[in-house]
Amino acid sequence: MNRLDWSSRPGQPLRGSVRVPGDKSVSHRALMLAAIAEGESRIRGFLEGEDTRATAAVLAQLGVRIDTSSAGERVVHGVGLHGLCGSSSPLDCGNAGTGMRLLTGLLAGQAFDSTLIGDASLSKRPMRRVTDPLTLMGARIDTHDGLPPLRVHGGQPLHGIRYELPVASAQVKSALLLAGLYGIGDTEILEPHPTRDYTERMLAAFGWPITFEPGRAKLQGGHTLHATDVDVPADFSSAAFFLVAASIVPGSELHLPAVGLNPRRTGLLHALRLMGADITIEHQRESGGEPVGDLLVRHAPLHGVELPEALVPDMIDEFPALFIAAAVASGSTVIRGAAELRVKESDRIATMASGLRVLGAPIEETADGAIIHGGKLGVGSVESHLDHRIAMSFAVAGLVASGPVRINDCSHVATSFPGFLELANGCGFALQDVG
Ligand code: S3P
């Protein structure tokens, strides 16, 4: 990946309509389920990001034919539950935690061995949360002290388990459900707080019998997945940067069409409204079994809040954007119960705190959150720490800083949001490639 530095300056009020790319979580899952289904599935609205392309490349390496019919569309020729072939080369998941964790579950039940690797950021992310319960199901997986690379041994008979997740994680839940497809008997997952249920909804859409409700999912091994077409909604996590940007830049009024509004993803909407944001949902509807709506966001003065802890899992990817909103709100914002932020693409409490301090924002880090005292942002040079969401959040910060904010090494933005710079500039950002 080439190094890419950005400079973000105060621009115009944000205006117009911004169509953000397809949902990352849904795109990963659609590829994986389509790959092991019987028949041909078409995925529309597929995220052309590096993370999801890495998953497509891994599946191709495992013998699945995936055609790019047009940009944002894939036709996956499913090989059936037992049709994947082993690869002697490592399977490179790039920057994608979702890709690696879900594939580990999928590969645990195969007849062949696999090695999963990732980039510098992914190579530091904890994998025992997945490999420990998979081991309870009968899998054999070697880690490097709990970190990637992962060596998944094939030919291990799996059996279902009843497992209470110690942390709310849709990735772990999904990995176990994918392994459960290959297990004898029932796999039942219980969550401490409900997390995104795309895997459950999509398994049902592909014809696999599954029962689920918020906080619980149960399936049995030994059925068949039948190919189906998937319409991927726009990614709420990508829309989040524009929700914050339009809220904090005076005079802004921005439309964000066809955004996925799965209730397990929209915590930021509630958090911003608690802070005084003016966001309305128009034309709420269903698309591909998912709630979708057009968002209209207008500038509004924000004030600090004590963030309700119950919102945390529903906005786990949106904290970097929220930190920016809090840093320019009046009063203080208190975030607790968010220790999971420390094991994302970067330690997002530490990386946001250090970047905000560079811009002169008073922020106190705690073990599981932060206290952010709102005020004005100054100029400075911040690091992305190889984390796409940190880079985009500081691009938003530059809109309201007293001068240019330089963001070093933004190449990872392409993992989830290809074309961010052009889309952002198209609605009023003043973002420049200076690297
Ligand atoms: C995801 C789940 C979340 C989220 C990640 C995508 C998924 O991770 O942060 O970006 O697609 O299942 P955790 O399961 O680790 O919370």
Side-chain angles (χ1 to χ4, degrees):
M1 234 181 248
N2 292 330
R3 193 187 155 97
L4 186 67
D5 299 339
W6 284 350
S7 163
S8 177
R9 287 180 290 115
Q12 306 294 318
L14 306 184
R15 295 273 169 167
S17 178
V18 175
R19 183 173 281 274
V20 300
D23 189 279
K24 183 152 72 73
S25 295
V26 175
S27 296
H28 278 298
R29 286 160 171 81
L31 282 174
M32 290 183 206
L33 293 194
I36 54 167
E38 306 277 347
E40 195 180 287
S41 303
R42 187 174 293 267
I43 307 172
R44 296 188 200 88
F46 177 75
L47 169 64
E48 296 287 358
E50 282 163 6
D51 276 14
T52 42
R53 285 183 174 180
T55 291
V58 166
L59 292 167
Q61 218 176 316
L62 298 171
V64 183
R65 187 175 139 209
I66 302 176
D67 297 330
T68 304
S69 32
S70 60
E73 196 167 296
R74 293 291 185 282
V75 176
V76 182
H77 303 264
V79 295
L81 206 60
H82 298 285
L84 297 175
C85 311
S87 170
S88 51
S89 321
L91 306 169
D92 189 351
C93 301
N95 188 247
T98 306
M100 182 173 279
R101 293 193 176 122
L102 270 61
L103 284 167
T104 305
L106 180 61
L107 292 169
Q110 306 299 325
F112 51 82
D113 295 355
S114 308
T115 302
L116 290 157
I117 60 170
D119 72 2
S121 155
L122 183 52
S123 299
K124 288 191 214 144
R125 298 187 65 189
M127 293 295 151
R128 284 212 174 102
R129 54 181 56 201
V130 180
T131 57
D132 281 352
L134 286 173
T135 305
L136 294 177
M137 296 178 77
R140 257 186 72 211
I141 304 167
D142 305 328
T143 70
H144 193 80
D145 235 354
L147 303 175
L150 303 180
R151 178 83 180 150
V152 186
H153 296 269
Q156 310 298 313
L158 302 186
H159 53 83
I161 54 168
R162 184 174 192 274
Y163 188 70
E164 289 188 27
L165 291 180
V167 285
S169 165
Q171 292 180 356
V172 178
K173 171 179 64 174
S174 301
L176 302 182
L177 290 175
L178 290 173
L181 305 181
Y182 295 88
I184 295 172
D186 291 343
T187 295
E188 184 175 10
I189 314 296
L190 302 153
E191 304 176 283
H193 186 284
T195 64
R196 63 193 76 187
D197 56 1
Y198 299 124
T199 306
E200 296 90 308
R201 288 173 188 241
M202 215 182 278
L203 281 167
F206 277 80
W208 195 284
I210 176 167
T211 54
F212 62 99
E213 61 197 29
R216 186 185 152 275
K218 186 173 179 181
L219 57 71
Q220 196 179 51
H223 295 276
T224 303
L225 292 167
H226 302 283
T228 189
D229 294 347
V230 179
D231 284 309
V232 182
D235 199 321
F236 184 88
S237 298
S238 296
F241 303 105
F242 293 95
L243 292 178
V244 170
S247 294
I248 63 178
V249 176
S252 297
E253 178 170 323
L254 208 55
H255 286 264
L256 299 157
V259 178
L261 296 175
N262 183 304
R264 300 279 72 87
R265 296 290 300 285
T266 49
L268 179 77
L269 199 64
H270 304 297
L272 287 175
R273 281 178 173 161
L274 287 176
M275 296 172 79
D278 177 358
I279 304 171
T280 45
I281 302 176
E282 299 176 333
H283 309 119
Q284 193 153 357
R285 55 202 183 269
E286 264 218 0
S287 168
E290 283 290 330
V292 163
D294 305 331
L295 301 178
L296 171 62
V297 50
R298 296 191 182 95
H299 167 257
L302 301 185
H303 53 82
V305 287
E306 288 222 5
L307 191 75
E309 268 190 58
L311 282 181
V312 169
D314 295 347
M315 55 180 291
I316 196 64
D317 291 335
E318 283 63 72
F319 277 95
L322 179 85
F323 273 48
I324 302 300
V328 297
S330 60
S332 301
T333 294
V334 182
I335 298 163
R336 293 192 196 90
E340 272 297 292
L341 295 178
R342 296 209 179 266
V343 290
K344 294 296 176 189
E345 284 83 329
S346 67
D347 173 345
R348 286 183 173 157
I349 297 175
T351 51
M352 285 307 298
S354 70
L356 281 172
R357 277 191 206 110
V358 168
L359 304 184
I363 170 165
E364 297 161 45
E365 248 191 75
T366 61
D368 67 344
I371 303 165
I372 304 162
H373 305 288
K376 300 234 177 290
L377 295 178
V379 300
S381 175
V382 302
E383 301 301 323
S384 78
H385 297 272
L386 307 180
D387 186 333
H388 52 137
R389 300 201 200 282
I390 302 298
M392 288 184 276
S393 297
F394 282 106
V396 173
L399 287 171
V400 289
S402 59
V405 172
R406 186 185 175 101
I407 311 141
N408 294 319
D409 205 353
C410 298
S411 49
H412 281 70
V413 168
T415 61
S416 71
F417 204 147
F420 174 79
L421 183 136
E422 294 77 12
L423 261 188
N425 284 342
C427 72
F429 278 64
L431 194 54
Q432 250 187 315
D433 175 359
V434 290

